[in-house]
């Protein structure tokens, strides 16, 4: 039991969250995935829009700064604010109350809802472009693995249907008959089944909703979990002139990658400093407008 709980926490990350299809009232089609962690006041959100994966990751102090920007008149505990954010986001996603703005190489997704006593709550995801690898790791390769798994299952079902047809034929040779005519079926023709299309493929080429089905979401999650386990088992640390170099064969990539920890830290530091400056500028601008505080 404890091992199951531990594994659940281990895979509670943005990678294994399924994509959610959103068709906004303004016409934009998005794929969204989020991971909220109340204990650390952190969240990560990814969005697939305009053939690009966008991402925002907020932790602790950055979350409190954003609260001052978008909800300066609300006074309550950080934990309650975080709960309001997650609840508001979930309700707005399913009611399609999202506003999308693409400007200055940033994607902003804004939404609002009403808390108790009709108090408005506002939020905006300020998302930056993710690396090109994210499209492969989070979309392309998982979808290819899903197709492979569905193909395997289809093959097993086809073999099962053929065996069932032989079983039915054996019953008929022994004189058995169906009790009702409409229950009788024709033998399964695998070639005709594979050549038949139930919809116009061209009409769905750009329709992102095809991934928004419960069985496909669950399959996506399982693919990502299994891929994560395999990539972890292949990871090893190689000492190199005093710098740790991580070499691994990622199951979500066709080639092995070598990542230097030092380089990643520098890139992340620059991105974080730019994000903090942008948040602080917004706080300073908003703070000039004095509003009545509301305690909830």
């Amino acid at each position: 039991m404890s091992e199951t709980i531990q594994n659940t926490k281990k895979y509670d990350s943005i990678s294994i969250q399924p994509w959610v299809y959103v068709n906004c009232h303004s016409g934009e089609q998005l794929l969204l995935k989020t991971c909220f962690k109340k204990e650390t006041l952190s969240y990560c959100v990814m969005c697939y829009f305009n053939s690009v994966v966008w991402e925002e990751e907020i932790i602790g102090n950055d979350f409190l700064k954003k609260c001052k920007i978008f909800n300066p008149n609300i006074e309550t505990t950080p934990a309650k604010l975080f709960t309001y954010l997650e609840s508001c986001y979930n309700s707005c996603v399913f009611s399609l109350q999202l506003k999308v703005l693409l400007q200055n190489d940033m994607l902003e997704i804004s939404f609002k809802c009403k808390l108790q006593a009709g108090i408005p709550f506002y939020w905006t995801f300020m998302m930056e472009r993710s690396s090109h690898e994210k499209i492969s790791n989070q979309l392309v390769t998982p979808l290819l693995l899903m197709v492979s798994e569905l193909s395997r299952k289809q093959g097993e079902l086809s073999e099962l249907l053929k065996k069932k047809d032989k079983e039915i034929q054996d019953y008929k040779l022994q004189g058995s008959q169906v009790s009702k005519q409409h229950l009788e079926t024709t033998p399964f023709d695998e070639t005709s089944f594979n050549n038949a299309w139930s919809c116009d493929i061209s009409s769905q080429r750009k329709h992102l909703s095809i991934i928004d089905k419960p069985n496909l979401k669950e399959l996506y999650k399982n693919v990502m979990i299994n891929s994560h386990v395999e990539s972890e088992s292949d990871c090893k640390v190689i000492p190199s002139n005093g710098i740790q170099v991580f070499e691994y064969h990622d199951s979500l990539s066709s080639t092995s990658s070598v990542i230097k920890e030092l380089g990643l830290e520098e890139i992340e530091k620059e991105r974080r400093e730019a994000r903090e400056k942008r948040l602080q500028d917004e706080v300073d601008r908003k703070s000039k407008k004095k509003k009545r505080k509301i305690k909830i």
Side-chain angles (χ1 to χ4, degrees), residues 234-267:
D234 292 339
C235 179
K236 58 182 179 179
V237 181
I238 304 174
S240 175
N241 297 328
I243 299 176
Q244 283 188 330
V245 178
F246 295 85
E247 182 176 355
Y248 65 92
H249 294 273
D250 191 348
S251 59
L252 294 180
S253 175
S254 59
T255 59
S256 64
S257 303
V258 177
I259 299 178
K260 290 191 177 181
E261 188 178 38
L262 180 61
L264 281 180
E265 286 183 351
E266 290 178 347
I267 294 172

Side-chain angles (χ1 to χ4, degrees), residues 54-67:
W54 306 83
E55 183 178 17
E56 181 189 40
E57 186 174 2
I58 292 296
I59 303 175
N61 291 333
D62 288 344
F63 169 72
L64 297 178
K65 288 179 181 179
K66 291 195 70 169
C67 288

Side-chain angles (χ1 to χ4, degrees), residues 36-38 81-91:
F36 293 92
K37 295 185 178 181
K38 186 177 179 180
L81 281 171
F82 196 85
T83 300
Y84 294 149
L85 168 61
E86 186 173 4
S87 175
C88 183
Y89 166 77
N90 290 330
S91 64

Side-chain angles (χ1 to χ4, degrees), residues 2 5 24 36 76 88 104 119 125 155 173 188 204 232 253:
S2 60
I5 295 175
C24 302
F36 293 92
T76 188
C88 183
N104 299 329
I119 300 172
F125 293 136
L173 291 175
F188 176 66
Q204 293 204 19
E232 268 196 348
S253 175

Side-chain angles (χ1 to χ4, degrees), residues 194-206:
N194 290 333
N195 291 335
W197 298 99
S198 60
C199 62
D200 183 3
I201 297 299
S202 60
S203 66
Q204 293 204 19
R205 285 184 62 187
K206 296 184 178 180

